Every structure is written in structure tokens, then in C-alpha cells.
Amino acid sequence: MKKKTTAATLLAAKNAQQPQVWLTAYDAGAARMAEEAGVDVILVGDSVGMVNLGYDSTIPVTVDDMILHTAAVVRGRTKAWVVCDLPFGSYQQSPAQALKTSAHILQLTGCDAVKLEGGKPMADTVRFLSERGIAVVGHVGLTPQSVKQFGNYKQRGKNQEESQNIYDDALALADAGAVAVVLECIPEQLAAKITNNINIPTVGIGAGSACDAQVLVWHDVLGLSEHTPPFVKPYAHLRQDAVTAIQNWVADVRKQA
Ligand code: KIV
């Protein structure tokens, strides 16, 4: 029987070259389905703001939003490791602010780890949290909370300088005590170089197949999104199936009139 996933089992899987599977989920039913399908880690991403709450970025998502969805996921899981995104504005001010937000989220939801965006500038915060017993996942490359600064969700690390910065960012987070790092939308070769030179698991999304783990957004894997990122292979087309099912029901009801 599958054991409960922990930070230690994720590291052991990296060392044994066993790819790990992370998936976002935002409610208890989805968490149960993800586990039944064999997912190792459930990420309650602040992507909830865009896929469930109707925002056009992750910026409006609040700590209370994250607590509501993460607590639901924790109620639905038994074995998966649950990571909660720290939302925009809830951790960047200082390590003390990050600790206060993380402690609040961990206490109210029962999740296992928090994730925050940013590289070298966040290393002191990651160290502060790690030294106080909090499991922290980093996130570099495309960092959606910085969309207003970059103006788009395009691939990062395409030129030499940006590529070196992302490499340094990932290694700085590992050095500060992060237990894993998400590499979002960066070239495959850069993701491979980071993965081969870092002592924590890398979790790729749009970063090629060399990473230690892969993560995707629930709606993208299942074909529930209106717009699926180009690097995603949808494994179902549930949005269209749902519209068709509802259309059929609408037609049946109208026929009875
Ligand atoms: O919010 C999220 O879903 C994420 C993934 C895209 C990694 O951070």
C-alpha cells in the first residue's frame, strides 16, 4: 500500500530517479480523485483565482481564499502531501510576515508545506521559515504573481543572462532550505541543468521532461480550461463533455414542456 508522501520521500524519489507527480486541486472531491489516480503531491495553487474564482490573474487571491480551498483538499486527502501557495502580498514584505502567514495557513488547514514565488530575493525568507520548521517549496522561472511587472505569461530564461539568473535563483532557494522548487516555463536544457546540479527535487511545468517531478493544473489535464497552455497535453475534454451533457438535459426538459 502506498505510504504517505513526505518531503523525505520526495527527496528519496529524486535520488532513485523515480518521477513524482504533482497536480493542483482546489476541493475535497478533486483531492480524492487525484489520490485515487496515484498523484503524490496536491498543490493548492493560487491558480484557483483564475480557474475557479474568475479573476484574470492570481493577484486578487487572498489568504482566506487559500485557507478555504486548502482545508477542503486536506479533508479529501489521505496520503498525498498537500502544498498551499502563499498568495500575492502575504509574504514578500518580510520573513516575519511570511512566518505569520504560513503559521496561520498551516494551523487552519492542516497542509504540509507552503509555496512562494521568487528566487534570490526570497532566499532569506525561505531560510527564516525553514529554520523554524516550515517546509517551503520555491517557484522560479515564470512567476505568475509578477505578471504586472513582466506583462505576459511567456517563457522565461531564453537569453544567457536570464537563464543564469534562474539557475542561481533555484540554487539559492535550495541552499536556503527549500524542500523542492517549481520550475515554470523555462527551456528544457536549463531545467535539466538545474535538476542535475541541485540537491532538492525540481518540479517542472512547461519545463520539459528532465525535472524530478511534473506538475499541471487540474483544469488543463482534464481539458476543462477554455484556453490550454501549448505545452499541455489534455488527457480528456471534460469542458466539452459537460457542455454537451447540459445541452442534452436542457433539450430533454424543453421537450417535456
Ligand atoms: O498556482 C499554481 O497552480 C501553480 C502551478 C502552476 C505550479 O503555482
Side-chain angles (χ1 to χ4, degrees), residues 3 8 15 21 44 50 73 77 128 137 140 155 167 224 234:
K3 287 200 185 132
N15 294 333
V21 183
V44 189
M50 297 175 80
V73 164
R77 71 90 190 253
F128 191 80
V137 175
V140 301
Q155 193 186 51
Y167 180 84
L224 278 164

Side-chain angles (χ1 to χ4, degrees), residues 110-145:
C111 72
D112 300 299
V114 294
K115 176 167 83 60
L116 53 79
E117 295 185 10
K120 291 181 289 293
M122 295 312 302
D124 285 347
T125 297
V126 170
R127 193 178 306 281
F128 191 80
L129 297 180
S130 302
E131 285 175 349
R132 284 157 184 79
I134 296 178
V136 186
V137 175
H139 184 155
V140 301
L142 170 58
T143 46
Q145 291 177 11

Side-chain angles (χ1 to χ4, degrees), residues 3-20 22 40-41 81 179-180 198-202 212-213:
K3 287 200 185 132
K4 192 170 181 325
T5 307
T6 64
T9 57
L10 294 174
L11 182 58
K14 173 185 175 79
N15 294 333
Q17 298 188 322
Q18 286 164 351
Q20 298 290 288
W22 296 38
D40 303 295
V41 177
W81 204 58
V179 297
I198 201 167
N199 59 4
I200 57 172
T202 58
D212 298 305

Side-chain angles (χ1 to χ4, degrees), residues 85-123:
D85 262 348
L86 297 182
F88 178 75
S90 73
Y91 63 95
Q92 293 96 335
Q93 189 180 341
S94 63
Q97 186 206 20
L99 176 62
K100 195 169 172 203
T101 306
S102 304
H104 186 60
I105 288 177
L106 288 164
Q107 287 178 326
L108 265 68
T109 68
C111 72
D112 300 299
V114 294
K115 176 167 83 60
L116 53 79
E117 295 185 10
K120 291 181 289 293
M122 295 312 302

Side-chain angles (χ1 to χ4, degrees), residues 24 26 43 45-47 85 115 117 139 182 184 205 215 217:
T24 73
Y26 315 102
L43 169 63
D46 58 358
S47 50
D85 262 348
K115 176 167 83 60
E117 295 185 10
H139 184 155
V182 170
E184 180 164 357
I205 173 162
V215 60
V217 170

